[in-house]
Amino acid sequence: MSHPRLLGPGSLPRFGSGWMHQFGAVYCLQQELLNARAASWFRAFELWHAARDEGIALNVSHYRNMTRQCVLAQRWDAALRVVAQMRRDAIRADAAVVGSVLSCCADAAKWQEAARVLQHFSVTEKLRLDAHCYHAAALASLRGHRWQTALTLSAPLLSRQLTVGPGTTALVNASSARSAGGASSPARRDFTRKLSVRLPDSSSGPLLLEEGHADTLLEACRLGGQREFAMAVLRAAPPRLQRAVLPTPSHGGYRDDATRGTRERFTREPPAWARWLRP
């Protein structure tokens, strides 16, 4: 049997100058753009340019995968460019895209960029964000040594999760942040509006914060000396964080020593905010 190249083009006509080959290339390009295992932000950007050249209509799923790869590479600048391109193409972002961008900002401690992104999507675009977005924004502020901003950015989420029936009110007012900076600082202007969160009473249902978010807020309260607000967050924290305030050390588990062939019990040291909240 002869090779197809030796047989010539054949007698069958070919319409559209190889549209089937073009369809296969576009299909493979779509699969690459939506590949959940891809982990190269540079290749994602190159595929985006190739898709634009082929005339492929991109949607929020493609951009969501691009921002996910930016998180893996810790490229906060690339994630912000993706969001800017989505705004230019009139594609509305979802909570997953915003969460990925805020996670990149948290890894790089870019609290100003995180605050701008959270403000734009939650206030300007009226997008309902999830707990992961607020946690990432608070973590970026905490890593940027801005405990006031961390508490202020988490206020909408705390109001949604902690406002259940009658209860007391915890205020973090501007007088408590006087030592943090001058009157022109962003944190000072945020605190002039007063951060007010309604606390649940004993009859309310179990509304728990995410463990990582509660840990971030408690550390921000420790840095700012906000004990009353910290107790409010601790009431809505998971039980493991609540047990960390107890004076007895929590059991961490067992550690295997391969060289000695022994197994010893160790205790997990409580975080700094837990030692601060202890009576």
Side-chain angles (χ1 to χ4, degrees):
M1 184 175 181
S2 301
H3 195 273
R5 291 184 178 177
L6 301 178
L7 295 177
S11 58
L12 298 177
R14 189 173 188 178
F15 303 98
S17 66
W19 65 272
M20 196 64 184
H21 172 73
Q22 185 180 3
F23 171 78
V26 171
Y27 177 78
C28 293
L29 188 57
Q30 283 276 19
Q31 295 300 314
E32 284 289 329
L33 286 170
L34 299 175
N35 185 13
R37 297 183 179 181
S40 175
W41 70 274
F42 182 79
R43 178 170 175 79
F45 277 34
E46 292 297 322
L47 290 173
W48 179 85
H49 284 286
R52 299 273 287 197
D53 295 339
E54 293 289 342
I56 299 178
L58 302 178
N59 53 30
V60 66
S61 301
H62 301 93
Y63 289 99
R64 187 188 305 122
N65 196 24
M66 293 175 64
T67 53
R68 180 191 61 84
Q69 298 178 60
C70 293
V71 175
L72 299 177
Q74 298 182 356
R75 293 300 302 261
W76 62 273
D77 53 342
L80 291 178
R81 290 180 180 177
V82 173
V83 173
Q85 185 63 40
M86 292 182 66
R87 193 178 304 119
R88 183 178 180 180
D89 294 343
I91 298 178
R92 182 176 173 83
D94 56 1
V97 174
V98 179
S100 299
V101 176
L102 292 174
S103 297
C104 292
C105 296
D107 293 336
K110 297 294 182 180
W111 65 273
Q112 293 177 330
E113 287 77 5
R116 281 196 291 264
V117 170
L118 188 69
Q119 183 78 7
H120 173 76
F121 285 101
S122 61
V123 178
T124 306
E125 296 196 6
K126 306 295 183 182
L127 182 64
R128 185 173 179 85
L129 304 177
D130 53 8
H132 172 70
C133 298
Y134 290 99
H135 177 207
L139 188 60
S141 303
L142 187 62
R143 290 177 177 175
H145 307 287
R146 296 284 178 170
W147 64 268
Q148 303 96 334
T149 311
L151 297 179
T152 306
L153 293 180
S154 302
L157 178 68
L158 295 176
S159 299
R160 288 206 307 263
Q161 292 200 359
L162 298 184
T163 305
V164 279
T168 59
T169 301
L171 290 178
V172 182
N173 47 38
S175 61
S176 62
R178 288 174 182 173
S179 60
S184 60
S185 62
R188 173 73 169 156
R189 291 195 298 269
D190 290 338
F191 268 72
T192 29
R193 296 193 300 267
K194 291 189 177 181
L195 177 63
S196 177
V197 176
R198 196 167 181 80
L199 310 182
D201 56 3
S202 58
S203 62
S204 59
L207 292 178
L208 298 181
L209 291 173
E210 187 211 1
E211 183 173 341
H213 194 189
D215 183 78
T216 302
L217 293 179
L218 289 171
E219 181 63 22
C221 293
R222 183 189 70 86
L223 294 176
Q226 302 293 330
R227 183 176 292 272
E228 185 181 1
F229 189 83
M231 295 303 296
V233 175
L234 189 63
R235 251 177 250 143
R240 194 184 75 83
L241 295 184
Q242 296 178 0
R243 289 193 299 266
V245 189
L246 299 177
T248 56
S250 58
H251 179 218
Y254 291 93
R255 184 185 296 110
D256 295 331
D257 193 348
T259 58
R260 298 180 181 179
T262 58
R263 190 183 190 191
E264 59 181 2
R265 181 174 177 172
F266 72 96
T267 56
R268 185 182 293 109
E269 288 295 330
W273 58 262
R275 297 192 297 268
W276 170 66
L277 286 177
R278 286 178 179 177

